[in-house]
Amino acid sequence: MTTSPAAGTPRHAPPPPPSFLSKVPWWLVILVVLGAGVLIGGLASEQYRIIFGVVGQGLFVTIRVTVIAFAASLILGTILALGLVSHSRWLGEALKAYVEVMRGVPMIVLLYYIAFAVGPALIEGYVALFGPAIAAGFMPEITIRDFSFEWRAIFALTLAYSAFIAEIVRGGIQSIPAGQFEAAQALGLTRFKTMRLVVLPQAFKTMTPPLGNDLVSMLKDSSLVSVLGIADITQNGKTYTASTFRFFETYTVVAFFYLVMTIGLTLLVRRLEQRMRRNEVRQD
């Protein structure tokens, strides 16, 4: 005989708590085991130890290019997004054109264009504009060699990814209910303070996953700077294979470095997203 709900007995038993094995990310376990096998096997081989050493010399360059370019593109992208949601139609249209152009040009084409066309043009413009001040010693003299290929690559990555980040930030801002803006204005906050203190902190929660994806994408796209001869991971691997012809071993190590960094960043972003979600639940 079934007890009625009025008697205090639930009709359905609550589901059992998830077991530890059900929460284990098995794809990560498999990749960690494979990666550990590659690392142990590589370090046991003298040839692989040499390749790890040669390719690893470009690790700092890869990280430096990615971190600086992403930080700069985040700042520029946020500024662009604020312009896109502004009340000025002409400013919004001009910035929309910039965003579409940057998103439509392949990254490698933009790298070449910035490195060999825009870079020299900027130096020539600087000399032409401040020529008298340079001659008088008030401003430093700058030549094209002072604008290194690494900084040209960072400039190109910043311009390209600022367009993608601008769209992410714009979408995050527009996801905030209009009542938040109205409440801030009722409290006497300016538009700038409303964005800084009310809108952007809330929008950041929705922007975190796509921003993390852009960071991972930029890390992978940083390998393209090797076409300019910058000694990153990919360029060091390319140089080593040119003299040894050990393509399999070398590019296995190159892929290993990138996988460790990209998967590590992905896990960090997911962890941050989960923590923000838990904090939001606690506040509710």
Side-chain angles (χ1 to χ4, degrees):
M1 183 174 178
T2 304
T3 305
S4 64
T9 303
R11 186 178 297 272
H12 298 289
S19 63
F20 172 76
L21 292 179
S22 65
K23 296 189 294 184
V24 173
W26 290 107
W27 66 270
L28 179 60
V29 174
I30 294 172
L31 289 180
V32 168
V33 172
L34 291 176
V38 171
L39 183 61
I40 295 172
L43 295 179
S45 169
E46 182 180 358
Q47 186 62 54
Y48 270 102
R49 286 199 299 270
I50 295 173
I51 296 173
F52 267 101
V54 172
V55 174
Q57 291 177 2
L59 181 62
F60 181 69
V61 175
T62 296
I63 295 175
R64 181 174 62 210
V65 168
T66 303
V67 170
I68 296 176
F70 186 77
S73 60
L74 185 60
I75 296 172
L76 180 57
T78 302
I79 295 173
L80 292 173
L82 294 177
L84 288 171
V85 299
S86 67
H87 298 303
S88 174
R89 177 186 174 186
W90 297 109
L91 177 61
E93 292 294 331
L95 294 180
K96 187 65 176 178
Y98 168 85
V99 168
E100 294 302 326
V101 169
M102 290 296 107
R103 293 172 65 186
V105 178
M107 190 67 244
I108 192 169
V109 175
L110 188 61
L111 277 169
Y112 280 128
Y113 190 72
I114 296 296
F116 300 111
V118 176
L122 289 176
I123 299 300
E124 291 177 3
Y126 170 82
V127 173
L129 185 61
F130 300 105
I134 295 173
F138 294 112
M139 298 189 69
E141 182 179 359
I142 300 177
T143 63
I144 189 60
R145 292 184 177 181
D146 296 321
F147 193 12
S148 67
F149 279 113
E150 181 176 328
W151 281 106
R152 298 184 212 184
I154 291 173
F155 187 37
L157 288 170
T158 299
L159 292 181
Y161 274 86
S162 64
F164 293 98
I165 291 177
E167 286 295 295
I168 293 173
V169 177
R170 179 191 61 78
I173 292 174
Q174 293 180 340
S175 69
I176 303 301
Q180 297 285 336
F181 294 89
E182 297 171 357
Q185 291 176 354
L187 293 174
L189 296 180
T190 63
R191 183 173 177 81
F192 175 75
K193 287 186 176 181
T194 300
M195 283 291 179
R196 183 171 64 89
L197 300 177
V198 179
V199 177
L200 288 179
Q202 297 182 71
F204 183 74
K205 298 177 183 178
T206 61
M207 294 187 298
T208 299
L211 286 177
N213 292 336
D214 269 9
L215 177 57
V216 173
S217 297
M218 179 178 284
L219 177 60
K220 294 188 293 184
D221 279 348
S222 69
S223 62
L224 295 175
V225 304
S226 61
V227 300
L228 303 179
I230 299 172
D232 69 328
I233 294 173
T234 304
Q235 176 63 17
N236 286 354
K238 187 190 305 182
T239 303
Y240 185 78
T241 55
S243 58
T244 63
F245 299 100
R246 294 185 175 274
F247 293 96
F248 176 80
E249 298 91 338
T250 302
Y251 285 108
T252 297
V253 174
V254 172
F256 175 81
F257 273 108
Y258 279 110
L259 281 173
V260 169
M261 290 188 292
T262 54
I263 293 176
L265 280 176
T266 301
L267 294 176
L268 284 175
V269 172
R270 289 182 181 177
R271 182 67 175 173
L272 177 61
E273 184 181 356
Q274 291 173 356
R275 178 173 296 182
M276 293 173 63
R277 194 174 300 155
R278 285 197 301 267
N279 292 338
E280 186 176 357
V281 171
R282 290 173 183 172
Q283 291 176 358
D284 294 339

